[in-house]
Amino acid sequence: MAHVLSGRAETPTQSRILTYVRDEGPLSRMDLAARLGVSRTTVAAEVGRLVELGLAEDGGPAASRGGRRSTLVDLDAGLRFVGIELGATSMRIAVTDGRLGVLARASTPDADIRRGPERVLAEAIELTRKLLAEQGVERPAGLGIGVPGPVDFHAGMPVSPPIMPGWDGYPVRDALSRELGTPVLLDNDVNVMALGEQHTGVARSASAFLFVKIGTGIGCGIVVDRHLYRGADGCAGDIGHIRIEQSGPVCACGNHGCLEAFFGGAALARDASSAARAGRSEILAEMLEADGRLTAAHIGRAIERGDATALQLTRDGGRRVGTVLANLVSFFNPGLIVIGGGVAGLGHTLLAEIRSAIYRQSLPLATGNLPVVLSELGGDAGVVGAARLISDAVYAPGDFRK
Amino acid sequence: MAHVLSGRAETPTQSRILTYVRDEGPLSRMDLAARLGVSRTTVAAEVGRLVELGLAEDGGPAASRGGRRSTLVDLDAGLRFVGIELGATSMRIAVTDGRLGVLARASTPDADIRRGPERVLAEAIELTRKLLAEQGVERPAGLGIGVPGPVDFHAGMPVSPPIMPGWDGYPVRDALSRELGTPVLLDNDVNVMALGEQHTGVARSASAFLFVKIGTGIGCGIVVDRHLYRGADGCAGDIGHIRIEQSGPVCACGNHGCLEAFFGGAALARDASSAARAGRSEILAEMLEADGRLTAAHIGRAIERGDATALQLTRDGGRRVGTVLANLVSFFNPGLIVIGGGVAGLGHTLLAEIRSAIYRQSLPLATGNLPVVLSELGGDAGVVGAARLISDAVYAPGDFRK
């Protein structure tokens, strides 16, 4: 089924109708009128306009509640969003429906962000076009994309991203929008993952929470009052460079003692490899011999096999992350902390250390009701969150890039 | 001039009119219609209702812009708010007009929060009544109050406040409201000081900023998108208990190594007194001998007289505060940091250390445009902020205690 170009919401009332239906499913006109505090005539007029814009459609009769029958309002069945998550060595793409349910996924086995924006984006565009063609989508309503580095959200481009050579100041948003003929928004990977968790993950009911990604590096998405908080310069959540010791390993940022220099995928690989080479772990040495390098996944398997060094590395790292988070809990008093990213695959060994440090070092008032949990969405958090990012814009009136 | 009871705003449009005029002064009906995106007829109707409610009045003709003459809308000239700031050993009260300009102040020389809520509040009520009577105010439109400890904002009462024995769970908001017959809101001192700086201080144009109070203890008010962020349990900003060293002095909270155990008024008095007793500073010893105790003000005077120990204590403290703030800058990326509270009287010696630690330890992107400044309001920040807190509620529709 070919889908014609969708418009964007034109009024706050239209925006609220679309958002309610996206987040809760089809709602009756009667329900919507009550929730919005407007007349059924107003709802009918706004829904009529949304149908013309290709955003909403009639969802059939609502279950009777004894009074006048009402009709359900649903999102247009042909509405499609695209979510893209670029990692240091990964590319994931998903096509979703209007409620951000994933209809199809694609990924590349050997992505490398260091190949630069032209080549990486050309590949992303090709893969997206292929996926849309398979799904019979002529033009999606919008596309969201997350990248592993700081982003100037308003300009739609990366800003001095440490692990993305060649991407500094590249107009990612506008280039993709021009090529694919659809509205595009760009954000960093942690922010889109936080949005994904908010949309379908563990953070659904949390109004203020932190999403902590422990991947190659460490970063944090901050949600305040259900909205992403990006900070005055768009770099809020950069917790990988919080200094935890005055001395310590040199960090990629040039400082000493940053959290990321002690823990995260890159530091863990470094420490596990030196333990293997120094003869401190037979299991890790065997894995290094076999695969030529060590990753968080190796550490996880070594822990399962009872390796004491792998266990210790994980515990030390978890304690350090937990100590930083304990301070942020005192400052920010979040209602929930979600741990995700590749290193989160170390699972409950890591989680137990992080929790223990937080609960030991923060005040009881802030930790009394504070769940610290692993991400539920795993690999889909980024693409669903990227689709959510652009859907928020398409479902709202005004200039969405502000 | 006796003032009759004011009502509260009933609609979002009324609320926006009142807030614009409070923050910018009298505005023409034409201006208001343009800003609110509504017709002049709607503005006229809403202003008419605000006049009936005793909240607004005719402000005379607007300066002509060549077209039809418009009339200015002003706040009711008889509108009065009360702001109260209770400190550990201080009580400040102010009566303001509708735009929160301070009309009259009162304070007590020998307040002591440890005397418990009945005696302290009775004194506050008596002083407030006296001040209102002097100003000819029969009943103020509302009263805001800040206290030096954690507050359950929704319940309107302190929660386990460490330096306020007897106040835990005491219904401060409702008791004051009943006695004075006016809407009351209670918050902690740092939050109301942040609001004060936002209203008339250095933070007027900052959308996201931190107000750091260094008094007897250390705390932080967090403003996000121009609104106070209180956290999931209302205890956001509790940075005095961020742990900066694994060992270190025992803190009032029972943990070791908290920021507040190293610095703040109480720690500074302790360290200065032991330096004086240990013979490390003749000047401090002389002051201790003369006054029987040492405070931040003594340290300030000792610095002016060239005392090396006093200077060192201030620098060590500033560096520690700065190190904690550097981490919060990486996490929160504020647009401004304001330093206030009694110890901030140490002024530029303290400020220079704090700035230096922040600029050295945070990433350039987050500190490139980050002013770190001393509070401009000084003693008025708390009372103006408390008045602002209740004015926000009076100028908004709905249940203001939610």
Side-chain angles (χ1 to χ4, degrees):
Chain A
M1 174 196 68
H3 184 62
V4 295
L5 174 65
S6 308
R8 290 180 44 225
E10 298 164 328
T11 68
T13 303
Q14 289 175 16
S15 177
R16 294 178 68 195
I17 293 172
L18 293 169
T19 308
Y20 275 133
V21 177
R22 177 191 69 187
D23 298 342
E24 303 183 27
L27 290 168
S28 75
R29 286 158 193 254
M30 206 172 354
D31 260 5
L32 284 168
R35 289 182 186 220
L36 299 170
V38 299
S39 68
R40 287 175 69 167
T41 318
T42 302
V43 168
E46 296 282 30
V47 168
R49 184 64 191 139
L50 287 174
V51 171
E52 286 171 18
L53 290 166
L55 292 168
E57 65 181 29
D58 188 331
S64 173
R65 292 199 189 156
R68 240 169 88 200
R69 277 192 91 80
S70 183
T71 317
L72 289 175
V73 176
D74 201 353
L75 295 176
D76 186 293
L79 202 52
R80 297 292 178 266
F81 292 107
V82 177
I84 301 182
E85 187 198 2
L86 301 183
T89 57
S90 62
M91 178 186 298
R92 292 170 192 265
I93 302 182
V95 171
T96 77
D97 60 20
R99 295 187 60 199
L100 315 185
V102 175
L103 302 174
R105 294 174 183 81
S107 59
T108 51
D110 55 351
D112 183 354
I113 199 93
R114 291 171 303 178
R115 292 165 65 213
E118 279 87 0
R119 291 175 64 190
V120 172
L121 292 180
E123 192 173 21
I125 289 164
E126 193 193 323
L127 211 54
T128 300
R129 285 203 174 115
K130 189 158 159 277
L131 203 60
L132 289 171
E134 284 167 13
Q135 295 290 312
V137 183
E138 197 177 300
R139 196 141 72 167
L143 179 152
I145 175 167
V147 295
V151 160
D152 181 335
F153 180 75
H154 301 292
M157 46 181 68
V159 180
S160 313
I163 64 163
M164 299 172 68
W167 291 76
D168 185 21
Y170 191 89
V172 175
R173 179 190 67 200
D174 295 347
L176 284 176
S177 183
R178 200 172 44 240
E179 280 297 318
L180 293 165
T182 192
V184 173
L185 282 179
L186 170 74
D187 210 331
N188 71 54
D189 54 353
V190 225
N191 282 350
V192 299
M193 290 167 93
L195 287 179
E197 289 295 340
Q198 183 181 34
H199 191 72
T200 44
V202 283
R204 273 203 79 143
S205 57
S207 129
F209 73 95
L210 302 182
F211 178 87
V212 179
K213 180 194 174 193
I214 315 180
T216 305
I218 298 180
C220 175
I222 304 170
V223 172
V224 172
D225 200 16
R226 305 199 156 276
H227 289 86
L228 270 182
Y229 170 75
R230 293 189 173 86
D233 306 287
C235 61
D238 199 355
I239 65 170
H241 301 287
I242 284 184
R243 186 186 290 196
I244 56 170
E245 285 182 24
Q246 290 301 315
S247 53
V250 178
C251 182
C253 77
N255 270 330
H256 284 264
C258 297
L259 175 61
E260 213 171 278
F262 282 101
F263 194 59
L268 199 54
R270 175 200 66 204
D271 292 348
S273 302
S274 43
R277 291 200 191 92
R280 292 206 309 277
S281 160
E282 277 180 32
I283 293 174
L284 289 174
E286 190 184 291
M287 289 173 166
L288 180 60
E289 174 75 27
D291 297 346
R293 67 191 187 106
L294 292 176
T295 64
H298 291 103
I299 316 279
R301 288 203 299 278
I303 291 176
E304 281 167 19
R305 290 170 60 188
D307 185 73
T309 301
L311 189 63
Q312 196 57 46
L313 288 175
T314 303
R315 285 193 176 150
D316 288 349
R319 185 171 35 76
R320 288 188 168 115
V321 172
T323 298
V324 165
L325 292 181
N327 291 346
L328 299 182
V329 165
S330 293
F331 171 73
F332 187 69
N333 184 206
L336 169 71
I337 295 179
V338 184
I339 311 283
V343 177
L346 292 172
H348 289 278
T349 309
L350 180 67
L351 190 63
E353 273 310 305
I354 293 177
R355 278 184 177 149
S356 149
I358 293 174
Y359 294 153
R360 196 171 55 237
Q361 295 175 31
S362 306
L363 291 184
L365 186 55
T367 53
N369 304 306
L370 176 64
V372 181
V373 300
L374 293 174
S375 161
E376 276 178 0
L377 279 178
D380 268 355
V383 289
V384 169
R388 160 81 183 230
L389 178 71
I390 190 65
S391 81
D392 277 338
V394 168
Y395 293 167
D399 183 347
F400 66 96
R401 290 170 297 190
K402 290 295 167 58
Chain B
M1 175 194 68
H3 185 63
V4 295
L5 173 65
S6 308
R8 290 180 45 224
E10 298 163 328
T11 68
T13 303
Q14 290 174 16
S15 176
R16 294 177 67 194
I17 292 172
L18 293 169
T19 308
Y20 276 133
V21 177
R22 177 191 69 187
D23 297 342
E24 304 182 28
L27 290 168
S28 74
R29 286 159 193 252
M30 206 173 354
D31 261 4
L32 284 168
R35 288 180 187 221
L36 299 170
V38 300
S39 68
R40 288 176 70 167
T41 318
T42 302
V43 169
E46 296 282 31
V47 169
R49 185 63 191 138
L50 288 173
V51 171
E52 287 171 15
L53 290 166
L55 292 168
E57 65 181 29
D58 187 332
S64 173
R65 292 198 190 155
R68 239 169 90 199
R69 275 191 94 79
S70 184
T71 315
L72 289 175
V73 177
D74 200 353
L75 295 175
D76 186 292
L79 200 54
R80 296 292 178 266
F81 292 107
V82 177
I84 301 183
E85 188 197 4
L86 300 184
T89 57
S90 62
M91 178 186 297
R92 292 169 191 265
I93 303 182
V95 171
T96 78
D97 59 20
R99 294 188 60 198
L100 315 185
V102 175
L103 303 174
R105 295 175 182 79
S107 58
T108 51
D110 55 351
D112 182 355
I113 199 92
R114 291 171 303 178
R115 292 165 64 215
E118 279 87 1
R119 291 175 63 189
V120 172
L121 292 181
E123 193 172 20
I125 288 164
E126 194 193 323
L127 212 54
T128 301
R129 286 204 173 114
K130 190 160 158 276
L131 204 58
L132 289 171
E134 285 167 13
Q135 295 290 314
V137 183
E138 196 177 301
R139 197 142 72 167
L143 179 151
I145 174 167
V147 294
V151 160
D152 181 335
F153 180 74
H154 302 292
M157 46 182 68
V159 180
S160 312
I163 64 163
M164 299 172 68
W167 291 77
D168 185 21
Y170 190 88
V172 175
R173 179 191 67 201
D174 295 347
L176 283 176
S177 182
R178 201 174 43 240
E179 279 298 317
L180 293 165
T182 193
V184 174
L185 282 178
L186 170 74
D187 210 331
N188 70 55
D189 54 352
V190 222
N191 281 349
V192 300
M193 289 167 92
L195 287 179
E197 289 294 340
Q198 183 182 35
H199 192 71
T200 43
V202 283
R204 273 204 79 145
S205 57
S207 129
F209 73 95
L210 303 181
F211 178 88
V212 179
K213 181 195 173 193
I214 314 180
T216 305
I218 297 180
C220 175
I222 305 170
V223 172
V224 172
D225 200 16
R226 305 199 155 276
H227 289 86
L228 269 183
Y229 170 75
R230 293 188 173 86
D233 306 287
C235 61
D238 199 355
I239 65 170
H241 301 287
I242 283 184
R243 186 186 291 195
I244 56 171
E245 285 181 26
Q246 289 301 315
S247 54
V250 178
C251 181
C253 77
N255 269 330
H256 284 263
C258 297
L259 175 61
E260 212 170 278
F262 282 101
F263 195 59
L268 199 54
R270 174 200 67 205
D271 292 348
S273 302
S274 43
R277 292 200 192 90
R280 294 207 307 277
S281 159
E282 277 179 34
I283 294 175
L284 289 174
E286 186 185 295
M287 289 173 166
L288 180 61
E289 175 74 27
D291 296 347
R293 66 192 186 108
L294 292 176
T295 64
H298 291 103
I299 317 278
R301 289 202 299 276
I303 291 176
E304 282 167 18
R305 289 172 58 188
D307 185 72
T309 301
L311 189 63
Q312 195 57 46
L313 287 175
T314 302
R315 285 193 176 151
D316 287 349
R319 184 171 36 75
R320 287 187 168 114
V321 172
T323 298
V324 165
L325 292 181
N327 291 346
L328 299 181
V329 165
S330 294
F331 171 73
F332 186 69
N333 183 206
L336 169 71
I337 296 178
V338 185
I339 311 284
V343 177
L346 292 172
H348 289 278
T349 309
L350 180 66
L351 190 63
E353 274 308 306
I354 292 177
R355 279 184 176 149
S356 149
I358 293 175
Y359 295 153
R360 196 170 57 236
Q361 295 174 34
S362 305
L363 292 183
L365 186 56
T367 52
N369 305 306
L370 176 64
V372 181
V373 300
L374 292 174
S375 161
E376 275 179 0
L377 280 177
D380 268 356
V383 290
V384 169
R388 159 81 183 228
L389 178 71
I390 190 65
S391 80
D392 277 338
V394 169
Y395 292 167
D399 183 347
F400 67 95
R401 290 169 297 190
K402 291 295 167 59

